[in-house]
Amino acid sequence: SIPVVYEIDDSLLNIVDANPASKYYGRPDIQFCLKHILKDVDYMSVSTNHLANYYKEYVRDSNNIEVLPNSLDLTAPIDRAIVPPSPAQFKILLTGGISHKADWAFLEGIIRDLTAESRGKISFTVFGYVPEDFKNILGLRIISPVTVERYFGILSSIDFDLMIAPLEDIEFNYSKSNLKFVEAGALAKPLLGSDVLAYNQDIINEKNGWLLKNNPYWWAKTIRKLASNKDKVKEAGKEAYKLVESKYNLEYNWKLWYDFYNKIITEYKK
């Protein structure tokens, strides 16, 4: 008589070998157990429409899958940290965990070349996981990983103009959410992201961000262009904030969670 709700934001049944979590979730016994668990859950909440469609075949009742989008409380006070500012004229931020190792593989040459050729006018900061190939890049700023509770406070304290978020165009990443866009937009910063499902549903190219195929030439060329037009970058950040404020604001979206769980309680009281 107790409802079971499964909350998930990844497609765990097709996890790629490049993802460190595949050592666990890719095991046949774990896959078997996960499918068994999914058949027994009464409700599921996910962060994207693609995930909702993905899990339909694994749950008992696909009508009980609810999409609850990434949302941030834009009115809450931020517990900011002290992060020394960068002296560079144009500052780029890359943030994420080790699961992005393959996604970021083509960036190493771009970061190295743009940092060197700009003579420090363009700087890159990596917050979180740092690939081995990045660690000897002169001028690269590194901020170590922190707990989830401290993450946004650190993020909001970093001095940056543009966030970048490459994602491989593979099936596993089709279930990725727009979290990086929401985080950047909440701080009135634009995102330069891969032209994949996670970002091309929100980014209007050259208006509130930039979308690119994963070609090093085009990423380097676009970053050079944006570095020489900071006013355009700032305007895109303002547009990104408008979208996040209207669509991904917890001040309004809390009701989605309330309605979902109230529905569960109501149905189980019958």
Side-chain angles (χ1 to χ4, degrees):
S1 61
I2 299 176
V4 177
V5 184
Y6 197 115
E7 183 178 9
I8 186 68
D9 68 349
D10 267 317
S11 53
L12 298 179
L13 294 168
N14 69 344
I15 194 165
V16 293
D17 292 340
N19 191 311
S22 67
K23 293 178 181 178
Y24 179 75
Y25 287 107
R27 284 167 37 187
D29 58 327
I30 299 299
Q31 293 273 305
F32 175 83
C33 290
L34 181 57
K35 290 177 182 178
H36 180 74
I37 291 170
L38 290 173
K39 287 179 181 178
D40 283 342
V41 302
D42 301 295
Y43 300 88
M44 172 180 277
S45 70
V46 295
S47 55
T48 70
N49 290 318
H50 187 275
L51 269 176
N53 291 324
Y54 173 80
Y55 280 114
K56 277 182 178 179
E57 66 176 284
Y58 298 105
V59 297
R60 184 189 307 160
D61 187 348
S62 61
N63 293 317
N64 288 342
I65 300 178
E66 191 77 12
V67 178
L68 300 175
N70 291 314
S71 302
L72 285 174
D73 186 353
L74 302 180
T75 63
I78 299 173
D79 184 16
R80 295 183 183 273
I82 298 175
V83 179
S86 166
Q89 294 177 12
F90 191 68
K91 299 166 280 290
I92 298 166
L93 176 64
L94 176 67
T95 176
I98 193 172
S99 63
H100 288 293
K101 182 177 181 179
D103 298 319
W104 296 357
F106 73 92
L107 287 179
E108 185 261 337
I110 295 173
I111 296 174
R112 192 180 299 278
D113 291 347
L114 291 183
T115 301
E117 73 180 44
S118 70
R119 297 185 179 182
K121 292 180 180 180
I122 298 175
S123 73
F124 290 83
T125 297
V126 179
F127 177 20
Y129 164 69
V130 182
E132 284 298 321
D133 291 344
F134 287 22
K135 291 181 179 178
N136 64 352
I137 297 177
L138 292 177
L140 180 69
R141 303 177 77 227
I142 295 173
I143 300 175
S144 300
V146 295
T147 61
V148 173
E149 292 77 14
R150 295 188 62 212
Y151 173 76
F152 196 71
I154 300 289
L155 182 69
S156 63
S157 303
I158 299 172
D159 180 24
F160 72 98
D161 300 296
L162 175 72
M163 184 183 288
I164 59 175
L167 276 179
E168 282 191 299
D169 190 5
I170 57 175
E171 185 180 355
F172 176 73
N173 283 342
Y174 296 164
S175 296
K176 293 287 186 182
S177 72
N178 62 350
L179 185 58
K180 292 291 185 290
F181 173 80
V182 174
E183 291 174 345
L187 299 172
K189 307 294 184 182
L191 182 77
L192 165 58
S194 299
D195 188 2
V196 294
L197 194 61
Y199 305 129
N200 61 25
Q201 304 301 295
D202 291 305
I203 294 178
I204 301 173
N205 201 34
E206 298 193 14
K207 180 179 180 182
N208 63 356
W210 288 266
L211 295 166
L212 292 174
K213 299 299 181 184
N214 291 335
N215 182 309
Y217 172 80
W218 289 110
W219 279 69
K221 183 175 181 178
T222 300
I223 291 172
R224 288 189 188 97
K225 182 178 178 182
L226 296 178
S228 63
N229 195 345
K230 285 188 66 173
D231 288 341
K232 186 173 184 178
V233 175
K234 287 181 180 179
E235 284 303 311
K238 292 177 183 178
E239 291 297 322
Y241 179 83
K242 289 179 184 177
L243 183 59
V244 170
E245 198 277 334
S246 64
K247 195 174 179 181
Y248 302 111
N249 190 345
L250 197 58
E251 183 180 359
Y252 314 127
N253 287 359
W254 67 268
K255 196 172 186 302
L256 299 175
W257 274 263
Y258 176 84
D259 289 345
F260 176 54
Y261 283 96
N262 194 50
K263 167 191 167 185
I264 296 172
I265 293 170
T266 300
E267 289 182 351
Y268 267 78
K269 282 182 177 179
K270 294 178 181 178

